[in-house]
Amino acid sequence: MPAGMTYVEYCGERYPLMGDRRFTVGREADLSVDDNPYLHRRFLVLHNENGLWWLTNLGTHLSASVSAGDVGFSATLGPGARMPLVFGETTIVFTAGPTTYELSVYATAPQVRPVTEQSFAGGRTTQGVPMLTASQKLLIVVLAEEILRREGTGASAIPSSAKAAARLGWPLTKFNRKLDNVCDKLDQLGVSGMRAGGGKLASNRRARLVEYAVASRIVTRDDLPLIDAEAARNAAS
């Protein structure tokens, strides 16, 4: 791939983006990621406008998590919304039914400085980054295990609570209790998809939890050894 080329990477394949044409992602698109019936035929579109690449959500009920880990950026792109891709590498994660997908966009973009922490003499700390216990983080890592183990591309089915609990050597009751706690915590921080109507916990919250945690880099591939360590610890007890 020539230097400076803009492209989408998915499942190890690179798809060049041309400034004079739109590039669609979906079930039946320029990049057909899957025949998943829960996925829109054309879900996302990339196009160039005045030298700047834009990402648009063409869907009616699916959202995409967009992140650039190097600069600490993450956002949710809802149905009908669009945003400019001003980072050299952008990761896009979305869930359709029980399956989570991830692709990356590499584009020449304006220079963006990394986000750094600043010290303030007073005032309250801005809320938004969840403070997780070790066991709560373990729960998210095991749910995201498949998507973290691959090379950052492709599709991944989220394990059931029973399978995830067994992977860690936890009783299912313990796993479900901690899942409730994590979803409550994220819901209080304003993360969508943790609750359904009437305040009840959403049935598809595991998929939304993984999508948010991976896109926001709450969990990364470096956390994967925690799973085997926990499983070994519980097997020995």
Side-chain angles (χ1 to χ4, degrees), residues 9-235:
E9 184 169 280
Y10 179 73
C11 287
E13 296 289 331
R14 293 182 176 183
Y15 302 83
L17 299 179
M18 304 301 175
D20 59 350
R21 66 183 297 268
R22 293 154 60 95
F23 184 89
T24 55
V25 178
R27 194 170 82 242
E28 299 174 7
D30 296 314
L31 172 53
S32 299
V33 298
D34 198 356
D35 60 359
N36 184 347
Y38 294 98
L39 180 61
H40 296 296
R41 287 182 173 84
R42 290 175 179 80
F43 172 45
L44 302 172
V45 62
L46 289 147
H47 79 283
N48 190 286
E49 185 176 312
N50 298 322
L52 188 64
W53 284 95
W54 288 79
L55 175 69
T56 303
N57 184 342
L58 300 176
T60 57
H61 63 273
L62 297 179
S63 295
S65 295
V66 183
S67 64
D70 290 344
V71 295
F73 170 84
S74 66
T76 298
L77 189 70
R82 74 172 193 161
M83 65 179 295
L85 301 182
V86 295
F87 312 104
E89 176 183 354
T90 304
T91 300
I92 303 167
V93 180
F94 55 92
T95 299
T99 308
T100 298
Y101 306 87
E102 181 182 350
L103 55 88
S104 296
V105 180
Y106 296 83
T108 302
Q111 195 68 31
V112 178
R113 292 184 300 171
V115 175
T116 57
E117 295 185 358
Q118 299 183 33
S119 298
F120 296 91
R124 298 175 58 189
T125 301
T126 301
Q127 299 299 307
V129 179
M131 299 297 294
L132 302 173
T133 65
S135 58
Q136 287 173 341
K137 184 169 184 175
L138 259 172
L139 178 143
I140 299 175
V141 174
V142 76
L143 287 175
E145 180 178 13
E146 187 176 338
I147 195 171
L148 292 174
R149 285 201 184 282
R150 67 179 199 273
E151 292 301 318
T153 53
S156 172
I158 308 300
S160 66
S161 293
K163 287 184 177 180
R167 179 80 173 88
L168 294 172
W170 289 1
L172 181 57
T173 52
K174 174 180 178 179
F175 185 92
N176 285 334
R177 183 176 67 253
K178 291 190 178 295
L179 178 60
D180 289 345
N181 292 339
V182 170
C183 291
D184 276 334
K185 182 174 292 187
L186 294 181
D187 178 67
Q188 291 170 12
L189 291 174
V191 178
S192 63
M194 296 297 105
R195 291 190 176 275
K200 296 180 179 179
L201 290 168
S203 59
N204 64 340
R205 56 190 172 147
R206 287 178 294 111
R208 177 65 184 119
L209 174 59
V210 168
E211 178 183 328
Y212 171 80
V214 171
S216 302
R217 298 184 67 81
I218 292 174
V219 296
T220 68
R221 189 174 300 180
D222 292 340
D223 297 316
L224 287 172
L226 297 174
I227 299 174
D228 289 333
E230 177 72 7
R233 186 161 48 245
N234 290 321

